[in-house]
Amino acid sequence: MAKLLVVEDDSNLADSVVDMLKSENHMVEFTPNGMDAANLLAVSAYDLIVLDLGLPDKDGIEVLKEYRGRGGRGKVLILTGRGKIEEKEQGLDLGADDYLTKPFHVKELAARVRALLRRPEGVVAEVLRTATFELNAKTFTFTKGGVEVPLTKREFTLLEFLMRHPNQVFSSEAIIARVWQSDSEASADTVKVYINRLRNKLGDNLDAEIKTVYGVGYKLEVAADQ
Ligand code: CA
């Protein structure tokens, strides 16, 4: 599951884009507004942003420029009006990864999003493994030693995030930015609760374990020889 932001002021188009991306099992947030988009991008971490360039309050180009300027690394798919070739070129120069010219079919957009998320530095494999764990992001199943362990959606998303970044330490804030919705009231305590639930469900393992790094955060420690 990827975390996506859709920025589009045409409400009909936005609805169909959001519905399509949700149907592909992504966590999708939406705003019709460039200022809101800039604020969300400053506090939350997205794998991919669908960004309309023609926005009434703050231009999409400005939003993109600021985002890349701050080191934002999510994939950006820009949406441009027909005939706005300079705008498209400017967007690509500023670090957009792909573009679609309106009008387009939402299936085309879904295909572009899938392609962008598959690129090596994006969200990669759908099946993540350690010696005993197997997490299938497509079917939402998780098994330990071949036995399915039921996880809630949030537990699953958290574990998927940790399994995608083995042996990397993340602060509670970084985990919230990636795993929770921007408007949630999740705190460091919330993260702790979920980490503990996951630990209970994962049980004892020799090859992979969620470790607390005191004063810093959490990591999924995975044994090297696999
Ligand atoms: Ca527009």
Side-chain angles (χ1 to χ4, degrees):
M1 182 196 307
K3 185 171 173 182
L4 313 181
L5 177 64
V6 175
V7 189
E8 169 60 67
D9 61 315
D10 173 337
S11 59
N12 288 331
L13 178 59
D15 282 351
S16 54
V17 167
V18 168
D19 287 349
M20 171 57 83
L21 295 173
K22 281 186 174 166
S23 76
E24 305 240 316
N25 286 323
H26 295 303
M27 186 192 295
V28 185
E29 299 188 356
F30 160 72
T31 174
N33 176 309
M35 293 297 288
D36 276 354
N39 292 336
L40 286 168
L41 289 169
V43 297
S44 206
Y46 298 93
D47 297 300
L48 185 143
I49 301 114
V50 176
L51 179 64
D52 181 31
L53 293 186
L55 297 167
D57 59 334
K58 186 185 178 95
D59 201 66
I61 287 286
E62 284 304 310
V63 175
L64 175 62
K65 200 171 173 179
E66 278 182 23
Y67 177 61
R68 289 293 190 232
R70 272 199 321 270
R73 294 178 59 190
K75 300 291 182 186
V76 178
L77 171 63
I78 52 176
L79 307 179
T80 65
R82 198 203 291 264
K84 304 255 178 153
I85 294 167
E86 283 161 25
E87 204 181 58
K88 179 200 89 185
E89 285 175 351
Q90 203 184 352
L92 293 173
D93 286 345
L94 285 170
D97 298 278
D98 199 357
Y99 71 94
L100 271 174
T101 305
K102 296 178 190 177
F104 55 82
H105 198 287
V106 281
K107 282 187 178 168
E108 173 66 17
L109 178 128
R112 300 287 184 94
V113 165
R114 279 197 298 273
L116 286 172
L117 292 177
R118 267 200 305 268
R119 287 189 188 171
E121 67 277 31
V123 177
V124 208
E126 282 174 334
V127 179
L128 305 167
R129 293 187 183 88
T130 71
T132 50
F133 295 163
E134 183 175 301
L135 181 142
N136 187 320
K138 188 153 194 171
T139 59
F140 280 99
T141 49
F142 173 72
T143 59
K144 179 189 169 189
V147 179
E148 186 164 351
V149 180
L151 299 177
T152 65
K153 198 171 175 188
R154 181 80 63 203
E155 291 164 355
F156 190 94
T157 309
L158 175 57
L159 182 59
E160 180 183 345
F161 175 67
L162 294 172
M163 285 184 75
R164 285 194 190 280
H165 306 92
N167 302 313
Q168 285 183 45
V169 183
F170 293 96
S171 65
S172 298
E173 292 75 28
I175 291 173
I176 290 168
R178 176 56 188 79
V179 176
W180 270 264
Q181 304 269 12
S182 316
D183 58 0
S184 86
E185 289 176 4
S187 65
D189 282 341
T190 319
V191 175
K192 195 172 174 183
V193 167
Y194 277 89
I195 290 282
N196 285 330
R197 282 190 203 168
L198 265 185
R199 279 187 179 133
N200 288 334
K201 290 194 176 181
L202 301 184
D204 292 328
N205 290 283
L206 296 173
D207 69 307
E209 195 181 350
I210 301 174
K211 296 264 177 151
T212 301
V213 182
Y214 288 98
V216 187
Y218 305 94
K219 66 173 173 179
L220 182 70
E221 196 169 272
V222 177
D225 55 335
Q226 289 181 53

